Amino acid sequence: MTEAPVAERGALVLFSGGQDSTTCLAWALERYRRVETIGFDYGQRHAVELACREPVRRGLRELSPVWDDRLGDDHVVDAGVIASIGRTALTSDAAIEMDERGLPTTFVPGRNLLFLVLAGAVAVRRKLTILVGGMCETDFSGYPDCRDDSVKAMQVALNLGMDQRFALETPLMRLDKSATWRLAETLGGARLVDLVRTGTHTCYLGEHRSLHPWGYGCGNCPACVLRARGYDAYQATRVAR
Ligand code: ZN
């Protein structure tokens, strides 16, 4: 599977157990000799997603002996402060619902910035100098902390503030969801696409009972709609090839 030259520097992948971060993890396993993962626990909405992490890591190990050899420790950091800010910021009669960007009204601005700071702190301890995240400015223009400029600014801030030489890698930054499915196929063939499809979770509502062609989810929330649309577009290009 390996095509790109393998870097000796170790990588820490922000890994939520969703489609994007799973694809990023496979991408990192192709490139770096040592890869560790970090996840953030901040409330029950994401409990299903978090529960996907270990089975997905196991699935990636089974796909390739090289990946099995490179995949190292997993770190789960308590980021409950995010949920507490989200709740505190709501007035007592405000409902928790999706806003026009597909974010719950409890969403805390700058969440991904905080994740990068926490990941940087763990990476220093683990002597890892590459941080890999699934930030993408193509599908979610409403997430200002996922924009390329924000991530580049964080790279400067982390390197100054932690006296490091981190490189922040965002392999999905310019990809749409269809291209993300395609990237999974390029990295690990149909078996990786299948692992992403059935092993990862993206649904905002945490629905994990119904298996659709594109995976598990409610099928109606913005995350499910985006994932389904991307999968359909990816399938259409496969037929055309
Ligand atoms: Zn959903």
Side-chain angles (χ1 to χ4, degrees), residues 97-150:
E97 54 192 19
M98 301 298 168
D99 69 11
E100 65 281 359
R101 296 181 297 180
L103 298 172
T105 46
T106 50
F107 181 82
V108 172
R111 188 188 64 174
N112 286 297
L113 303 183
L114 176 62
F115 288 170
L116 284 171
V117 171
L118 296 173
V122 170
V124 172
R125 290 283 174 87
R126 302 296 300 166
K127 299 190 175 2
L128 302 165
T129 55
I130 311 280
L131 299 178
V132 182
M135 294 81 172
C136 166
E137 62 178 33
T138 310
D139 285 322
F140 277 116
S141 55
Y143 282 61
D145 57 348
C146 287
R147 288 179 194 149
D148 199 33
D149 284 350
S150 306

Side-chain angles (χ1 to χ4, degrees), residues 164-234:
Q164 297 290 314
R165 290 175 62 83
F166 287 127
L168 270 56
E169 299 280 3
T170 53
L172 310 185
M173 185 56 77
R174 308 290 180 196
L175 304 187
D176 61 19
K177 276 278 181 282
S178 160
T180 301
W181 285 107
R182 171 69 56 75
L183 176 60
E185 186 189 320
T186 307
L187 291 166
R191 290 174 66 205
L192 179 56
V193 172
D194 241 27
L195 177 64
V196 171
R197 204 174 64 80
T198 61
T200 72
H201 185 86
T202 315
C203 176
Y204 280 136
L205 305 181
E207 210 275 89
H208 201 75
R209 288 185 302 271
S210 331
L211 179 60
H212 308 270
W214 44 268
Y216 288 95
C218 73
N220 297 313
C221 77
C224 282
V225 168
L226 196 62
R227 177 167 165 145
R229 240 185 245 149
Y231 188 76
D232 288 348
Y234 158 68

Side-chain angles (χ1 to χ4, degrees), residues 6-11 31-34 127-130 165-167:
V6 177
E8 293 300 330
R9 298 170 75 183
R31 276 163 186 76
Y32 304 110
R33 211 174 284 289
R34 186 161 68 98
K127 299 190 175 2
L128 302 165
T129 55
I130 311 280
R165 290 175 62 83
F166 287 127

